[in-house]
Amino acid sequence: MRHVIALDVGGTGMKAALAGPRGEVLHRARRATGRERGPEAVVAGILDFAAELRAYGAEHFGTPASAAGVAVPGIVDEAEGVAAYAANLGWRDVPLRDLLAGRLGVPVALGHDVRTGGLAEGRLGAGRGADRFLFVALGTGIAGAIGVEGRVEAGAHGFAGEIGHVVVRPGGTPCPCGQRGCLERFASAAAVSEAWAAASGTPGADAADCAKAVDAGDPRALAVWQQAVDALADGLVTALTLLDPRVLIIGGGLAEAGETLFTPLREAVSRRVTFQKQPPIVPAALGDAAGCLGAGLLAWDLLSSTDRMEVTP
């Protein structure tokens, strides 16, 4: 059976699959990144894992994978196939596409983790059928994916979709990016966790605890939650003004709060829009499988473009 390797590299773990031509998952696997051993060990682990997946496919499906797609965090130069920087993995300017292609002997596509997950949500998940969508992941930080006609826009330099660094509170909390008042300093899961731990006087309390306290009617939690929702709505309205998406998809850890987040968020966005068209604001559908599914789509897209080039006179 013709298939591709799909690999989603995270800060601590890797999720992988062998995917068929219709996106069906034929095999799943997981492995730690081994980042405690340093960036060289992480790269070596990725290469070894991919080689094992290739061998599994050859043994169980009669042929090795036709291509591979890999999603990685940080700054990614997708055109050059370079993992330019990832703070949590410690690497800089890793030519990961060429390294993998050399190891596997097949074409390889390299993508940014959030954009790759957004691609899967747009084609297979909550944005299916929408010609234009915006996917926003609310995790430790905040990042987005801009979907247009079945693809995700990377931008001229690979920075498209970095909505977490839109300044929503000028002069506010310093951000590691060098600005002050960035969206992710107020509305990410990490920011909510920090604010709730301080407000509740409970070190170690996190965003999920805050959401539970909101549901219980705790006024301190309501205040923390509303601050995050208001900041997020400000950032999203800026994005709606610039991009005019058909649907707005919210994923990541904070979205797991469900309607505790979505009901006040829809209301906050509605209060802020004037001439803009407010799209449906919906939860992501694919969960933590999105990155791996998206990596598979990258691989099939690469094969499709290669096939077209081969038949062009």
Side-chain angles (χ1 to χ4, degrees):
M1 178 179 288
R2 199 177 190 211
H3 62 277
V4 298
I5 294 169
L7 184 56
D8 179 19
V9 179
T12 58
M14 297 183 280
K15 297 183 286 290
L18 299 180
R22 292 178 298 278
E24 64 273 31
V25 176
L26 308 174
H27 171 67
R28 296 181 190 272
R30 288 178 180 256
R31 178 169 296 180
T33 60
R35 66 176 181 175
E36 68 280 358
R37 299 194 302 273
E40 293 81 8
V42 172
V43 174
I46 293 170
L47 297 177
D48 289 345
F49 194 19
E52 289 174 17
L53 292 163
R54 182 185 187 279
Y56 183 98
E59 179 182 353
H60 290 82
F61 304 117
T63 182
S66 301
V70 185
V72 297
I75 299 171
V76 183
D77 185 337
E78 296 172 2
E80 295 297 323
V82 173
Y85 175 70
N88 54 0
L89 295 175
W91 65 30
R92 286 183 180 272
D93 298 323
V94 178
L96 196 55
R97 182 183 65 192
D98 289 348
L99 291 172
L100 280 164
R103 183 71 175 270
L104 300 174
V106 297
V108 176
L110 182 69
H112 179 272
D113 57 353
V114 174
R115 287 196 293 267
T116 302
L119 178 66
E121 282 291 348
R123 287 199 202 167
L124 307 174
R128 189 170 186 172
D131 58 344
R132 285 169 172 77
F133 68 88
L134 175 62
F135 169 70
V136 178
L138 308 175
T140 303
I142 298 178
I146 303 164
V148 181
E149 301 289 357
R151 65 179 182 82
V152 170
E153 174 60 50
H157 306 95
F159 299 144
E162 290 291 348
I163 187 174
H165 296 290
V166 170
V167 173
V168 294
R169 299 291 180 266
T173 306
C175 179
C177 80
Q179 300 184 119
R180 300 181 71 93
C182 288
L183 175 60
E184 70 176 41
R185 297 301 299 132
F186 298 92
S188 63
V192 172
S193 296
E194 182 181 339
W196 176 236
S200 65
T202 308
D206 61 15
D209 297 323
C210 186
K212 292 175 185 176
V214 169
D215 291 338
D218 187 315
R220 300 169 301 170
L222 288 165
V224 168
W225 199 255
Q226 193 61 52
Q227 179 187 40
V229 166
D230 286 340
L232 181 57
D234 288 339
L236 292 178
V237 170
T238 296
L240 299 183
T241 306
L242 290 171
L243 302 173
D244 188 26
R246 191 81 59 188
V247 62
L248 176 53
I249 306 164
I250 307 293
L254 206 60
E256 294 175 7
E259 288 306 311
T260 300
L261 173 68
F262 284 91
T263 295
L265 179 60
R266 292 185 187 110
E267 292 171 353
V269 171
S270 181
R271 289 195 303 269
R272 286 162 170 77
V273 296
T274 53
F275 66 89
Q276 304 92 336
K277 176 70 173 178
Q278 180 172 340
I281 301 175
V282 301
L286 302 177
D288 70 355
C292 202
L293 291 170
L297 292 174
L298 290 179
W300 284 113
D301 286 354
L302 182 60
L303 283 176
S304 177
S305 65
T306 301
D307 292 344
R308 285 196 300 272
M309 289 174 65
E310 289 177 351
V311 300
T312 299

